[in-house]
Structure formats: structure tokens, C-alpha cells
Amino acid sequence: MKETLLLYHVADDVQKDIKNIAEQLHIQIQYLDESQLHETMGHILNIDGFEKSEVQNISGDFQQEFVFFAGMSDKQLDIILQLFRMQGIPKIPYKAMLTEHNVHYKFYQLYLSVADEYQQMSQINN
């Protein structure tokens, strides 16, 4: 799988900075929007065997910025995140990396899972 960054609700100026980093590292970028909330991560990433899902009405607040890293090793992820910091890219609290499990999640399920995890970690750190 080609290294890919999925960006959801990321501000235009931040998208531009992330795009510059991705181009230098030959990483593909895809931009997600609300119309893809019901799709599996596998389908969004065009992975064989993942079909288009039926459109669902999904309620909730899905406005937080989200970055999803696919096809990267842990070391590559560390480098990218370090480059984000070096370029002054503001912290994006909702982040996830492709796994054998979340490839089957619908995007809204992954979003809610990451949001819940972020809330739990925020409480622990306070």
C-alpha cells in the first residue's frame, strides 16, 4: 500500500503545510468530508475487497480535525510527526494509524473511537 495521509476538517493553511511535507516524502494525500463518514477505511483507501457502503444518516458532531496515517511504519510515523512539529503545524488531537482492525471500521466509527480515547487520555493527564 502506498503511504497515504487522510485529512478531515483540517484548516486550509495547515493542509498546505502538511501537503508540502507529504510531497517531500512522496506521501499521497486524500481529503475526506462528511459524505465519506459511512464508508469503511478500507474502501476509502481503495483496498481490494472493500466495497462501497450504503449511505447512512449519521448524527453527531464530526467537526474536529482528524489525520489518518496509512501504509507507514512506526518509524515513518515518528518522522512525519516530528516534521509536523518542526514546521509549526498545530497539534491535531484526533489521529490514527491504519491497523488490521480499524481497516474494517466505518470512518465515523473510527472518529468516535479516537474521540473517546482522546477524552479519556485528556482526563488522565489532568
Side-chain angles (χ1 to χ4, degrees), residues 14-125:
V14 176
Q15 278 185 27
K16 183 180 174 199
D17 291 339
I18 291 173
K19 183 179 179 189
N20 287 336
I21 291 170
E23 286 176 350
Q24 291 173 25
L25 300 174
H26 307 287
I27 296 172
Q28 177 179 310
I29 290 188
Q30 285 180 246
Y31 303 96
L32 303 178
D33 61 37
E34 286 83 2
S35 70
Q36 295 165 295
L37 283 168
H38 66 280
E39 295 292 353
T40 63
M41 299 311 295
H43 177 74
I44 290 169
L45 291 164
N46 297 313
I47 297 173
D48 288 341
F50 288 90
E51 302 297 323
K52 188 164 181 61
S53 300
E54 284 188 35
V55 175
Q56 297 174 250
N57 285 331
I58 300 165
S59 61
D61 180 21
F62 297 94
Q63 299 303 311
Q64 186 64 252
E65 294 177 315
F66 191 106
V67 178
F68 187 79
F69 304 87
M72 298 173 203
S73 68
D74 289 343
K75 184 176 181 174
Q76 289 170 307
L77 177 63
D78 289 343
I79 291 168
I80 291 168
L81 293 175
Q82 183 176 8
L83 288 171
F84 280 18
R85 285 188 293 275
M86 290 171 60
Q87 290 296 313
I89 293 172
K91 183 178 178 187
I92 299 172
Y94 291 12
K95 293 185 278 301
M97 187 170 181
L98 182 66
T99 68
E100 65 185 71
H101 302 291
N102 68 20
V103 71
H104 299 280
Y105 287 25
K106 294 183 183 286
F107 178 49
Y108 80 89
Q109 293 170 318
L110 179 64
Y111 182 102
L112 293 173
S113 176
V114 169
D116 184 53
E117 184 177 316
Y118 178 76
Q119 294 303 323
Q120 289 178 23
M121 294 304 291
S122 295
Q123 290 174 355
I124 290 171
N125 292 328

